[in-house]
């Protein structure tokens, strides 16, 4: 996500999405399955993400998160990853097996709880159908948007208050 460009936030069939791709030299993906469209959750929209994107666009920046600085390997996520690790330590989450990548596992668990079909949450997380039914690899490269939107709409994180503090409004 650190490499996202302002133009990667798109409207597709009337809804807001993030496009994760490697169509140019500014974007890099681990594998072909990583290419995907991810609908934005209502909580992200309510937090003002679209307004943020507009402000970044108006500033003239092409990068969605212009404050991120590349490391010596030209990776934009390195600094954020280090900051997040320190933040988790500050919150008392010091188990070495708990890191930023735990979000993906939690997301998969919550999708299962919401009864989101496995192929849909695989499409949202950029997983392949490798080793699964051959028929899952048939069809278009891009997963249809409607089931993705339905899945993201059904996704609920229990017992987490996502409201913005008064100072951030």
């Amino acid at each position: 996500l650190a490499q996202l460009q302002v133009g990667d936030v798109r409207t597709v069939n009337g809804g807001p999405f993030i496009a994760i791709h490697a169509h140019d030299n500014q974007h890099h993906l681990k594998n072909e399955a990583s290419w995907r469209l991810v609908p934005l959750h209502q909580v992200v929209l309510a937090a003002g993400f679209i307004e943020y994107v507009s402000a970044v666009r108006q500033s003239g920046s092409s990068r969605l998160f212009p404050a991120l600085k590349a490391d010596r390997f030209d990776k934009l996520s390195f600094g954020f990853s280090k900051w997040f690790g320190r933040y988790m330590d500050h919150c008392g989450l010091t188990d070495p097996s708990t890191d930023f990548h735990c979000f993906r596992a939690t997301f998969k668990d919550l999708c299962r709880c919401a009864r989101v079909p496995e192929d849909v949450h695989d499409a949202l997380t950029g997983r392949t159908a490798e080793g699964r039914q051959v028929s899952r690899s048939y069809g278009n490269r891009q997963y249809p948007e409607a089931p993705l939107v339905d899945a993201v709409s059904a996704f609920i994180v229990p017992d987490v208050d996502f409201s913005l503090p008064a100072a951030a409004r």
Side-chain angles (χ1 to χ4, degrees):
L1 295 178
Q3 67 185 347
L4 287 173
Q5 303 288 310
V6 172
D8 296 332
V9 180
R10 303 177 181 169
T11 300
V12 178
N13 292 329
F17 284 78
I18 290 177
I20 299 175
H21 63 86
H23 289 306
D24 55 45
N25 63 0
Q26 300 298 312
H27 298 80
H28 307 281
L29 299 176
K30 291 181 183 177
N31 56 53
E32 186 71 16
S34 296
W35 189 97
R36 61 199 183 275
L37 287 173
V38 179
L40 292 171
H41 193 279
Q42 186 58 41
V43 170
V44 174
L45 298 173
F49 184 71
I50 298 300
E51 292 80 7
Y52 168 79
V53 173
S54 294
V56 173
R57 181 177 283 119
Q58 288 176 359
S59 78
S61 175
S62 61
R63 289 198 359 244
L64 189 56
F65 304 108
L68 295 177
K69 304 296 180 215
D71 67 4
R72 65 181 186 192
F73 303 107
D74 208 28
K75 299 286 185 188
L76 291 166
S77 58
F78 182 78
F80 178 80
S81 181
K82 287 294 185 190
W83 172 86
F84 190 77
R86 289 189 300 270
Y87 177 73
M88 287 183 60
D89 289 345
H90 173 77
C91 292
L93 302 169
T94 57
D95 181 338
S97 67
T98 304
D99 62 11
F100 194 78
H101 298 286
C102 290
F103 285 118
R104 182 186 296 258
T106 300
F107 178 79
K108 296 288 277 184
D109 287 343
L110 292 172
C111 281
R112 290 177 189 112
C113 290
R115 300 194 188 321
V116 172
E118 184 179 27
D119 61 324
V120 176
H121 55 89
D122 280 352
L124 288 167
T125 58
R127 297 290 187 195
T128 65
E130 189 176 321
R132 299 193 187 116
Q133 292 178 344
V134 173
S135 64
R136 284 209 25 212
S137 63
Y138 294 166
N140 292 329
R141 177 175 153 191
Q142 178 58 50
Y143 202 89
E145 292 93 20
L148 300 176
V149 171
D150 291 347
V152 168
S153 297
F155 185 81
I156 297 169
V157 180
D159 304 321
V160 176
D161 180 4
F162 288 105
S163 60
L164 292 173
R169 290 187 211 140

